Amino acid sequence: MSDSGSGSGTDPDRLPSIARRVLAPFADRSVAERLVISLAAILLSITVGFVIVLVSGRVAECSTAAWTMPVTGMGFCYDPVEVYVILFNGALGYPFAVGEPGLLNPNWSPFNLSFGLTLSETTLLIFTGLSVAVAFRAGLFNIGTQGQLVVGALATALTVIAAAPLLPEGPVAGAVLILVGTAAGAVGGGVWGAIPGALKAYADANEVITTIMLNFVAANVAYVLVLEVFRAEGSSVVATRYVPEHAQIRPWLFSASSDFALVALAAGVACIAGLYYLLEHTPFGYDLRTSGVQAAAAEYGGVNAKLTTVRAMTLSGAIGGIGGSVWVLMSEGRWMASVPDLGFDGITVSILAGNNPIGVLPAAFLFGLLKGGALEIGFQTDVPTELVGVLRGLIILFVAMPEFFRMVGRFVGIGSGGTDGVASTSSEANEAATEGGETDA
Amino acid sequence: MRNVIQSDYVRSLVVGTLAVLGLLGVAGLAFPASVAGDLAGIVFSASTATSTARLAAPIVLAGLGGIFAEKSGVINIGLEGLLIISAFASVYVASLVGIGNALFGIPAIWVGFLAGVAASTALSGVFGIVCIEFKADQIIAGLAVWLIALGLAPFMSTVFFGGVNTPNLGANVGWEYLTAMVVLATLASWWTLNRTAFGKHLRAAGENPKALDTVGVSVSKVRHAGVLLSGVLSGVGGSALALSIGQFVGSGETMVQGKGFIAIVAYLFGNYNPIGTLGAGVLFAGLDAVQVRLQQLGYAVPDTLVQTIPYVVVIVVLALVGRTRIPEAAGEHYETEE
């Protein structure tokens, strides 16, 4: 890979973007290898998390030890096995009766509150994960999904609140308002995403920096707008009015307090399918992918790189904005200043998914599980729920180091057995194939 | 080469000054004359200077660290995480020793300081191994460093203190120490980068690792050193941030609140020149300090809006100045050739 960088020589105007260079190894990897590495990363982070729980359980103070180490008799305040059982079992609503002979809980129903919360998070993360993935595929690192989500969410809330009185109350009006609100969210997020796209394309401004800055700008400006102009009367927090009940995406089958609507999840899955089709089977998708893998080759092949950059960032922002719409219309019912870190989690989801729209579904579900399970850990144990944040960071760290797993694989004698030289040759071959238009990723 | 650097340095200074003057002009237009008068008073007041020093320390120090890492060829966007981990570790260890006590004759607060630096250096060491030995994607690994610290520091705080915020130590490090650290670190960084053999190796590792390898210097060793230095300097910055207040705040984005990202912007703004980085850091911190003073004087400017100014300035300047010239081989892995 180092050759592609030094090949551009000393001409400072022809430096490839940082993102494109660091992302190239991702584009080259085969789907199967990515899957193995993602799974290995999850397992390794769970192992490290296990150690963290043990160690912190050793230093924390408690009256009775939750777990005692065999042989040494050393006591620990937290039981790591219990933590993980609660994390994953609890996120599903305890389908497994641990310690019982049948192992399955006969009273378990899939439509329980905990599983609803998990799926609610999953739904939101599908949108933010897709948002990051689209930009990634175009060779752009969109750290700004968070800001695009904030802007999209505010646009949705304000549009629906303004439009609601114009229509008679009822399910039809509700459906119209939801669609209009979602469109407003897409436009808001799209515009916010287009800004760094245009700055990147026409002013060479690094999108990693501009999107980070725009996150802060979005959060601050939205906060001040709601504080000064759109704040609901008598509200103790900085928040808009609630959108009317009939314009909210209502839970169906699942309990109302789970804030989970199956129709939103279905929309998320449809979005995945749509994006997969767009990326793999349309001329725009082809332009986008080739720009991501080999910008120079794409331009040589007639792709308008600048326009593709703007379009990719706009699309990415629009999907992030729709995530904001779903957050407002399904989860909160209004725009609140304390927007959760869904955009940053989207980066994790996308990376774990190998930036593949289809991979976003299991990756979003995994992080939905972690989020849902964190609530259970908070209810059931003394272990701080921030543990889940640590696990999230560890998963990203391990996914980022595929070479580590290859080394381990070589050490224990499994895997492709390819040496560095072979690996880099095959990646160059892939790249050459991509230039020829035969993409397989 | 030197001419290029100096003209870029001058450019960044000019841009920085123009930005300040422009903002003052905008403020003058936006507010009545009396406010503009107050504003000038604030800008040149002693309390603004001290709070600027306090606010600038983490930005400038982490920014200097970022230069060392990136000059060596490793883009470290995990500076934010390094600041967070050192901020927590310094307060934790200082409270462990106990304010008023000393360890080996070193007062608790300075023991905490050293511990913060050690924690940040250790985390940067992990980041370096992951990036250099395991060839991890630097941007993603940097992001992971941030997220791990963002989870770990409040987690540990809850384990030790029962909440994401630690209690206040009841003692803090004075602003004059922070100023001395910032100035010394800036000068030392400039000297190291421009006047020493190590600085030359560092730049070669980022610009042309093959050439460095050819003359028999280990590229990976130089890169590890660059990354570790980013950890040391960020550690000083994070400890300075927390110990100048005497507390670690772990709620939300923690007390670091994006200062690590602003640090990246500061060194890009300063075009990898330590002195330019100092200028940019002081500029951002100064804007923040003026904003705080405006609040204290009772002006009902929403503080959140004023806090937005540095971010907007960054976007505008990036749009006008365009890309900064990153080291040629930054973000790439280097294979030693036999």
Side-chain angles (χ1 to χ4, degrees):
Chain A
M1 286 314 341
S2 59
D3 282 343
S4 65
S6 52
S8 59
T10 49
D11 183 2
D13 292 332
R14 290 191 41 126
L15 284 177
S17 81
I18 316 173
R20 202 163 279 135
R21 273 197 272 175
V22 295
L23 296 177
F26 269 76
D28 293 344
R29 236 181 288 146
S30 76
V31 172
E33 195 186 10
R34 240 180 259 164
L35 202 64
V36 171
I37 287 169
S38 292
L39 286 175
I42 293 165
L43 285 178
L44 188 57
S45 61
I46 284 176
T47 312
V48 175
F50 193 95
V51 174
I52 291 175
V53 171
L54 259 191
V55 171
S56 51
R58 185 66 196 142
V59 292
E61 282 171 22
C62 53
S63 48
T64 49
W67 189 72
T68 312
M69 189 182 267
V71 188
T72 59
M74 198 187 268
F76 294 85
C77 282
Y78 309 141
D79 179 346
V81 177
E82 189 199 4
V83 166
Y84 281 124
V85 168
I86 289 175
L87 181 68
F88 291 108
N89 202 12
L92 301 171
Y94 299 96
F96 302 103
V98 180
E100 300 289 318
L103 211 68
L104 290 178
N105 181 353
N107 301 322
W108 182 76
S109 136
F111 307 114
N112 65 71
L113 174 64
S114 301
F115 192 43
L117 292 169
T118 297
L119 289 178
S120 172
E121 284 291 339
T122 304
T123 307
L124 294 168
L125 291 172
I126 284 175
F127 289 105
T128 56
L130 282 178
S131 164
V132 179
V134 168
F136 250 127
R137 289 300 282 275
L140 299 159
F141 200 169
N142 182 10
I143 304 187
T145 293
Q146 182 70 19
Q148 291 142 16
L149 178 130
V150 167
V151 172
L154 187 58
T156 300
L158 297 180
T159 305
V160 173
I161 289 169
L166 306 176
L167 296 169
E169 232 172 273
V172 179
V176 171
L177 285 173
I178 288 169
L179 288 176
V180 169
T182 308
V187 170
V191 167
W192 208 248
I195 298 171
L199 287 174
K200 166 88 178 179
Y202 299 105
D204 266 337
N206 186 322
E207 83 279 10
V208 173
I209 299 169
T210 50
T211 53
I212 291 174
M213 294 300 122
L214 283 167
N215 283 341
F216 288 109
V217 175
N220 290 358
V221 170
Y223 179 88
V224 172
L225 271 180
V226 173
L227 178 75
E228 302 284 328
V229 188
F230 300 112
R231 188 168 180 170
E233 271 175 52
S235 166
S236 59
V237 292
V238 178
T240 63
R241 277 166 40 205
Y242 281 97
V243 301
E245 196 106 331
H246 65 279
Q248 294 184 16
I249 307 175
R250 305 299 296 279
W252 178 61
L253 288 178
F254 285 85
S255 93
S257 46
S258 69
D259 288 327
F260 171 63
L262 271 170
V263 60
L265 180 62
V269 173
C271 208
I272 288 176
L275 268 179
Y276 179 78
Y277 180 80
L278 181 86
L279 282 172
E280 304 297 332
H281 299 288
T282 64
F284 172 61
Y286 175 77
D287 287 0
L288 198 134
R289 283 181 295 125
T290 45
S291 302
V293 180
Q294 267 292 337
E299 200 142 6
Y300 191 71
V303 176
N304 183 338
K306 289 185 195 304
L307 205 57
T308 305
T309 298
V310 179
R311 282 180 178 161
M313 282 302 285
T314 308
L315 179 62
S316 171
I319 300 167
I322 293 174
S325 308
V326 176
W327 177 66
V328 164
L329 297 176
M330 182 183 80
S331 299
E332 294 296 335
R334 59 177 174 168
W335 190 94
M336 288 176 73
S338 53
V339 184
D341 275 354
L342 292 162
F344 295 120
D345 287 327
I347 300 173
T348 326
V349 166
S350 176
I351 289 170
L352 196 62
N355 309 316
N356 183 325
I358 295 180
V360 163
L361 186 63
F365 182 62
L366 176 78
F367 277 86
L369 274 179
L370 289 179
K371 291 266 189 131
L375 296 171
E376 290 298 321
I377 288 183
F379 293 141
Q380 310 278 339
T381 71
D382 296 332
V383 180
T385 53
E386 284 79 11
L387 173 71
V388 170
V390 182
L391 289 180
R392 167 179 76 168
L394 288 171
I395 292 174
I396 304 195
L397 185 72
F398 296 140
V399 172
M401 42 189 249
E403 195 56 33
F404 172 78
F405 296 105
R406 291 200 194 103
M407 282 178 188
V408 172
R410 277 199 293 275
F411 184 73
V412 298
I414 53 165
S416 61
T419 64
D420 281 343
V422 174
S424 67
T425 317
S426 71
S427 75
E428 270 155 31
N430 271 349
E431 210 170 287
T434 314
E435 277 181 61
E438 301 165 39
T439 44
D440 60 344
Chain B
M1 188 66 190
R2 282 201 46 111
N3 281 339
V4 174
I5 289 170
Q6 283 188 337
S7 68
D8 281 346
Y9 171 41
V10 169
R11 184 190 64 183
S12 68
L13 260 191
V14 169
V15 170
T17 317
L18 282 179
V20 174
L21 290 178
L23 287 170
L24 272 178
V26 170
L29 283 175
F31 304 109
S34 61
V35 182
D38 273 350
L39 201 64
I42 290 169
V43 169
F44 297 107
S45 79
S47 69
T48 308
T50 55
S51 57
T52 301
R54 225 166 29 76
L55 294 166
I59 296 174
V60 176
L61 288 160
L64 293 173
I67 296 178
F68 280 103
E70 197 158 326
K71 276 278 178 190
S72 79
V74 181
I75 302 165
N76 188 351
I77 73 161
L79 297 176
E80 174 89 0
L82 299 177
L83 287 175
I84 293 174
I85 215 72
S86 54
F88 172 74
S90 60
V91 172
Y92 170 62
V93 171
S95 79
L96 210 60
V97 176
I99 294 297
N101 298 339
L103 198 68
F104 305 117
I106 308 170
I109 205 144
W110 294 108
V111 175
F113 212 103
L114 295 174
V117 176
S120 164
T121 309
L123 185 57
S124 75
V126 172
F127 172 72
I129 291 170
V130 165
C131 285
I132 299 163
E133 306 302 329
F134 299 143
K135 298 180 197 150
D137 178 312
Q138 295 170 1
I139 300 271
I140 295 173
L143 204 65
V145 166
W146 170 42
L147 292 173
I148 288 171
L150 195 60
L152 197 58
F155 175 82
M156 298 306 270
S157 179
T158 312
V159 168
F160 294 123
F161 300 103
V164 291
N165 302 344
T166 71
N168 200 305
L169 290 173
N172 55 36
V173 170
W175 68 271
E176 53 278 46
Y177 289 102
L178 302 190
T179 311
M181 280 178 209
V182 167
V183 172
L184 276 179
T186 306
L187 294 177
S189 301
W190 187 89
W191 175 264
T192 309
L193 282 168
N194 296 307
R195 289 286 181 274
T196 64
F198 173 66
K200 205 182 275 180
H201 292 163
L202 210 61
R203 279 177 287 147
E207 295 289 348
N208 193 346
K210 205 174 236 171
L212 191 65
D213 200 13
T214 314
V215 298
V217 178
S218 161
V219 173
S220 66
K221 268 187 191 156
V222 172
R223 288 189 169 180
H224 275 298
V227 172
L228 284 175
L229 273 174
S230 75
V232 172
L233 286 160
S234 301
V236 176
S239 304
L241 173 70
L243 294 177
S244 69
I245 296 163
Q247 188 190 13
F248 173 79
V249 180
S251 53
E253 308 250 285
T254 77
M255 69 194 304
V256 177
Q257 277 189 321
K259 288 190 176 63
F261 293 116
I262 295 282
I264 296 173
V265 176
Y267 74 70
L268 290 177
F269 230 74
N271 205 18
Y272 302 93
N273 185 318
I275 298 168
T277 305
L278 175 71
V282 170
L283 174 71
F284 297 150
L287 282 170
D288 210 8
V290 168
Q291 171 265 125
V292 172
R293 278 296 290 159
L294 275 175
Q295 302 294 315
Q296 289 167 347
L297 286 180
Y299 289 110
V301 192
D303 53 344
T304 325
L305 209 56
V306 184
Q307 282 163 12
T308 314
I309 292 172
Y311 306 120
V312 177
V313 170
V314 168
I315 295 168
V316 171
V317 170
L318 270 185
L320 295 179
V321 179
R323 86 169 87 204
T324 46
R325 192 191 160 308
I326 70 159
E328 183 91 8
E332 284 179 10
H333 306 297
Y334 182 75
E335 290 289 343
T336 309
E337 282 161 34
E338 302 296 329

